[in-house]
Amino acid sequence: MISSADPQTADDILAALDPEQREVAANPSGPMVVLAGAGTGKTRAITHRIAYGVRSGASQPQRVLAVPSPARAAGEMRTRLRDLGVVGVQARTFHAAALRQLHYFWPQAIGGAAPEGMAHKVPAVAEAASRMGMRLDRSELRDVAAEIEWSKVSLLTPETYAAAARRDQREAPGMDHTAMARLIATYEEVKGERGVIDFEDVLLLTVGILEERDDIARTVRDQYRHFVVDEYQDVNALQQRLLDLWVGGRGDICVVGDPAQTIYSFTGATPQHLLRFTSTHPGAATVRLVRNYRSTPPVLALANRLLTDPSGQRRGGAVELVPQREGGEPPRLTALDDDPAEAAWVADRIKELVAQGRPLREIAVLFRTNGQSEAFESALADADVPYLVRGGERFFSRKEVREAVLLLRGAARTDDGSKPLPAFVGDVLGGMGWHEDPPSSSGAVRARWESLKALVDLSARLASTTPDARLPDLVRDLDERIAAQHAPDVEGVTLASLHAAKGLEWDVVFLVGCSDGLMPIMMAEGPEEIEEERRLMYVGVTRAREVLHLSWARARTPGARGTRRVSRFLDQASGILGEGARSTPKRAKAARGSGGPLKAARPKVCKVCGTELQTATERASGRCPQCPPTYDEATFERLRSWRLAVSRAASVPAFVVFTDATLEAIAEAEPAHQRDLSAISGVGPRKLSLYADQVLAVVGGADPDEVAEAAVGEPED
């Protein structure tokens, strides 16, 4: 459907595009892969592609399925298409589209109503853990839920999980892979008993219906003839399976992505679908968007440097961004004494920017982990600077917003068109205390006013793009935004993790915590994980339009020794950021009382082949996965038998006693004394006090069942 506010001709849609964007938009049929760098206008290119296809007659809007990510991008895409005069295009995430199809086809395919979805996995995970005798805290439950998600989007079952997890060198949260597989199976049993499905089940069940029912698959393919998939580098195996079923081997599909912004591989996402698209779709056109319209040349110089290896080659298929703006301040790197000092420094700089007239909504503070947010929230509150935490309370969940939406719904039928839409909305919200002048106070009062102002501003935008729009149209737009959690802009400094910041941009960005241990995060192990951390910093840098501040703290708390070092990713950028960006290798502590020079810490290597060990499991066993074990198999089996007897007697999972990796290390070392046992990874003071005598006896050749039985019969101290 084409609205009255649309451009006059199809060529008008192409007129404002650069040559590469125009190539994307002007060819709405056939397979195409778009490699789009940050800030190169990919959303503009694909929305214009859809609009051009509709205007030129190559497609009908109701037969186009656009698959953006995340959910807020769906609302933004619909808004952009409406601004181009095109309505009726389905812009939905994989999950939203699958959920709609599942509810529609379930009565036909299965019968009855579709199962109810779970809001959260954690309660079911807790129940499953309890049935297995596990005691997991809140953090562990969240980690287990995340691992379940990874297994399902990777199309694994409880039977295939363990082998795949070992192959991908994933560490199950607090347990071995076999125990995790049993927990996954128990979790599925809990869901089945409750008659509910989880987030991933929506896609799995939709895939199952489309695979088993050719008639339903044909109906879906008749409905949708043209596909546009954004953020294709973040597609996982399950989403790809569903997409293949939707497309059905046809060629009208355009995928868009940036290998340099692959930051969700831990969830099962992979850029390989993007990089191999031309192989899976022979004859597909390839377009590279490299003209960056977002950031100034100095910001882009740093971004490009981050993804250039020492030999000058681009990392991982990333495009080199070409600036289209002029001028700009060079990025600055600042070192502070401690975390509170860094937060206070950021708050002071923001106050200076506001005093210079910089709008709060155009300033962001980005960090690696959500735990870093608290210090900056406190510093901004002390400085009386309004802020918003992205990923915190959702806009449409706020009390004043819920009340305002109810008022607008009730007033929709009374809009007689006698007043401009923004004025009428202002009158309705006046009953809640809305007025055009901002309050002099801050805190909750100012936050409430900003929420109402965002709704009034939204009505003004709708009126500008659709002059005949009235309040019922605004209410429908709000309903769509609520469903997609597509919040309007609200005045305040944005605080966001780097993952939450993807797809957004601000005039001024403070990229904080730029130290090893945070960027890259200390849990990152192996070259692939380190490279993903590098891409995460790249995402943070490319969020800045004009001003970029990078900062880090030498210590966590005031008065503590400054043992941190600047992020290793900035080492190559010293020509841009100064000598303070140079990172030096972390040094090992000298032996106490030695007085000798400090020596660089040596990486642990495989005792068989000498390869550097990458994961905690490898370091615990002392060998890489490719090398055969060198321990005595009989000793290892005795230790496993003893562990099983102890775990049964204590009614706990076997891994709670010792993991397989720790047992392998014990069998390898064959300790004869407690001091030898205590040197083995995974044997802490508590386990040493509980099991040392038993383990030493088993290693020495004692019968494992007798050792365990004797230990159970001993009186407690």
Side-chain angles (χ1 to χ4, degrees):
M1 177 179 173
I2 301 172
S3 77
S4 59
D6 57 278
Q8 293 302 306
T9 67
D11 290 339
D12 291 335
I13 295 174
L14 304 179
L17 304 179
D18 69 30
E20 293 80 22
Q21 294 170 345
R22 191 178 298 117
E23 185 177 356
V24 174
N27 297 281
S29 301
M32 177 180 288
V33 55
V34 183
L35 300 175
T40 57
K42 65 179 178 65
T43 305
R44 181 180 182 84
I46 59 178
T47 52
H48 281 68
R49 173 189 172 95
I50 295 170
Y52 180 82
V54 172
R55 172 57 73 174
S56 64
S59 59
Q60 298 174 292
Q62 65 271 20
R63 296 191 179 274
V64 179
L65 178 59
V67 189
S69 179
R72 66 173 183 267
E76 178 64 24
M77 184 173 286
R78 284 192 292 268
T79 300
R80 292 198 184 201
L81 286 169
R82 186 178 63 211
D83 293 347
L84 289 170
V86 175
V87 295
V89 171
Q90 294 297 308
R92 301 178 184 273
T93 63
F94 276 104
H95 182 267
L99 183 62
R100 193 179 190 214
Q101 292 175 17
L102 187 67
H103 281 289
Y104 185 83
F105 291 112
W106 186 274
Q108 178 183 348
I110 310 298
E116 182 182 350
M118 294 192 306
H120 304 286
K121 286 187 178 69
V122 168
V125 171
E127 171 66 19
S130 177
R131 293 185 183 185
M132 293 180 60
M134 298 181 184
R135 297 179 179 177
L136 304 178
D137 61 27
R138 185 175 299 179
S139 176
E140 290 170 327
L141 289 171
R142 288 197 299 268
D143 290 344
V144 168
E147 191 68 5
I148 291 173
E149 290 171 10
W150 174 81
S151 72
K152 299 182 79 164
V153 302
S154 301
L155 298 173
L156 302 174
T157 65
E159 293 74 27
T160 60
Y161 165 80
R166 293 190 189 101
R167 181 196 65 220
D168 292 353
Q169 299 183 356
R170 292 184 70 89
E171 293 187 37
M175 64 192 78
D176 59 30
H177 295 119
T178 302
M180 185 67 214
R182 292 200 305 271
L183 183 53
I184 294 173
T186 308
Y187 166 79
E188 294 296 332
E189 291 173 2
V190 171
K191 282 200 299 106
E193 293 170 6
R194 296 182 178 183
V196 295
I197 59 177
D198 62 23
F199 192 88
E200 292 72 37
D201 287 334
V202 172
L203 273 66
L204 285 166
L205 290 170
T206 305
V207 165
I209 289 174
L210 296 177
E211 286 182 336
E212 295 177 8
R213 292 289 299 268
D214 289 339
D215 56 332
I216 294 176
R218 285 195 300 271
T219 299
V220 173
R221 291 166 192 159
D222 286 342
Q223 174 64 46
Y224 299 117
R225 302 295 183 88
H226 297 264
F227 297 84
V228 178
V229 185
D230 197 7
E231 302 292 354
Y232 195 57
Q233 77 279 350
D234 292 330
V235 167
N236 57 49
L238 176 55
Q239 292 168 332
Q240 183 62 50
R241 177 77 67 85
L242 180 59
L243 180 62
D244 290 340
L245 289 165
W246 284 342
V247 176
R250 296 168 298 177
D252 287 333
I253 177 172
C254 173
V255 299
V256 188
D258 181 8
Q261 297 189 71
T262 304
I263 59 175
Y264 295 108
S265 61
F266 62 92
T267 66
T270 172
Q272 294 308 311
H273 304 301
L274 173 68
L275 298 174
R276 296 172 183 170
F277 186 83
T278 54
S279 299
T280 56
H281 293 78
T286 300
V287 182
R288 289 177 170 81
L289 302 183
V290 300
R291 304 174 196 245
N292 180 285
Y293 298 92
R294 175 187 300 162
S295 305
T296 60
V299 172
L300 293 184
L302 176 59
N304 285 328
R305 186 67 59 86
L306 282 176
L307 295 187
T308 305
D309 66 23
S311 68
Q313 299 297 311
R314 303 292 293 167
R315 298 175 183 267
V319 300
E320 184 169 1
L321 300 174
V322 180
Q324 301 301 296
R325 301 181 62 180
E326 297 180 354
E329 303 177 16
R332 296 182 178 90
L333 175 65
T334 302
L336 287 305
D337 289 336
D338 49 66
D339 287 350
E342 183 182 16
W345 178 84
V346 169
D348 287 342
R349 299 293 78 74
I350 290 175
K351 288 198 72 172
E352 292 174 0
L353 290 167
V354 173
Q356 296 166 9
R358 186 78 68 172
L360 288 170
R361 69 176 63 183
E362 295 300 342
I363 304 172
V365 180
L366 307 183
F367 34 76
R368 176 61 180 86
T369 69
N370 289 322
Q372 295 170 259
S373 178
E374 184 177 357
F376 295 94
E377 290 180 50
S378 179
L380 290 171
D382 291 343
D384 201 25
V385 175
Y387 64 87
L388 309 164
V389 181
R390 183 162 289 277
E393 183 188 23
R394 294 183 172 182
F395 176 81
F396 291 108
S397 298
R398 298 178 183 178
K399 182 174 182 291
E400 67 270 16
V401 175
R402 295 198 309 269
E403 293 174 353
V405 171
L406 285 174
L407 278 177
L408 293 171
R409 281 203 183 102
R413 64 177 71 91
T414 67
D415 185 2
D416 58 6
S418 60
K419 284 189 174 182
L421 178 59
F424 188 76
V425 169
D427 289 345
V428 174
L429 299 184
M432 295 181 59
W434 158 255
H435 48 82
E436 292 188 2
D437 297 326
S440 56
S441 58
S442 57
V445 175
R446 179 63 184 241
R448 175 183 174 88
W449 183 87
E450 293 290 354
S451 295
L452 299 179
K453 182 177 184 298
L455 295 174
V456 176
D457 291 347
L458 195 63
S459 70
R461 178 176 179 180
L462 179 61
S464 67
T465 59
T466 310
D468 57 348
R470 301 308 308 170
L471 189 53
D473 302 294
L474 176 63
V475 170
R476 282 192 293 271
D477 184 59
L478 286 171
D479 288 338
E480 290 181 356
R481 286 174 172 271
I482 291 169
Q485 287 300 318
H486 179 207
D489 292 332
V490 182
E491 195 64 23
V493 174
T494 300
L495 302 180
S497 71
L498 291 171
H499 286 100
K502 188 170 177 289
L504 304 174
E505 58 189 73
W506 297 268
D507 285 349
V508 183
V509 167
F510 290 84
L511 185 55
V512 301
C514 297
S515 60
D516 266 10
L518 287 171
M519 296 184 200
I521 197 82
M522 65 177 63
M523 286 85 79
E525 297 180 326
E528 292 184 1
E529 292 183 12
I530 295 296
E531 284 305 300
E532 180 146 331
E533 292 290 307
R534 182 189 301 275
R535 294 193 294 269
L536 201 53
M537 176 176 273
Y538 171 84
V539 167
V541 168
T542 54
R543 299 311 94 193
R545 299 192 192 105
E546 299 174 5
V547 180
L548 175 63
H549 289 284
L550 301 94
S551 61
W552 65 287
R554 299 183 181 92
R556 182 175 181 180
T557 56
R561 287 184 60 194
T563 58
R564 290 175 176 165
R565 55 177 177 150
V566 70
S567 172
R568 71 190 74 173
F569 299 146
L570 300 179
D571 197 55
Q572 288 183 226
S574 59
I576 298 172
L577 299 172
E579 289 300 307
R582 293 196 179 276
S583 181
T584 55
K586 207 169 191 177
R587 299 185 298 174
K589 293 181 179 178
R592 189 173 291 178
S594 67
L598 297 176
K599 297 181 179 179
R602 297 179 62 185
K604 292 193 72 173
V605 298
C606 175
K607 63 186 71 176
V608 180
C609 67
T611 302
E612 183 177 346
L613 302 176
Q614 303 294 344
T615 69
T617 301
E618 292 174 14
R619 290 191 289 270
S621 65
R623 59 181 175 82
C624 58
Q626 291 76 30
C627 290
T630 57
Y631 54 78
D632 181 68
E633 291 283 356
T635 301
F636 178 66
E637 290 304 322
R638 287 201 310 276
L639 286 167
R640 288 189 67 185
S641 297
W642 165 82
R643 181 183 67 174
L644 180 61
V646 171
S647 66
R648 285 176 174 174
S651 299
V652 297
F655 71 86
V656 172
V657 181
F658 286 117
T659 65
D660 283 350
T662 300
L663 290 187
E664 290 178 6
I666 294 171
E668 185 89 38
E670 295 187 343
H673 305 283
Q674 280 202 21
R675 63 176 179 273
D676 302 324
L677 185 61
S678 66
I680 296 173
S681 177
V683 185
R686 182 175 178 276
K687 293 190 177 182
L688 198 66
S689 66
L690 289 173
Y691 307 126
D693 292 341
Q694 300 175 58
V695 170
L696 294 174
V698 173
V699 172
D703 182 270
D705 293 328
E706 292 180 359
V707 171
E709 185 177 351
V712 171
E714 293 175 357
E716 296 184 1
D717 294 335

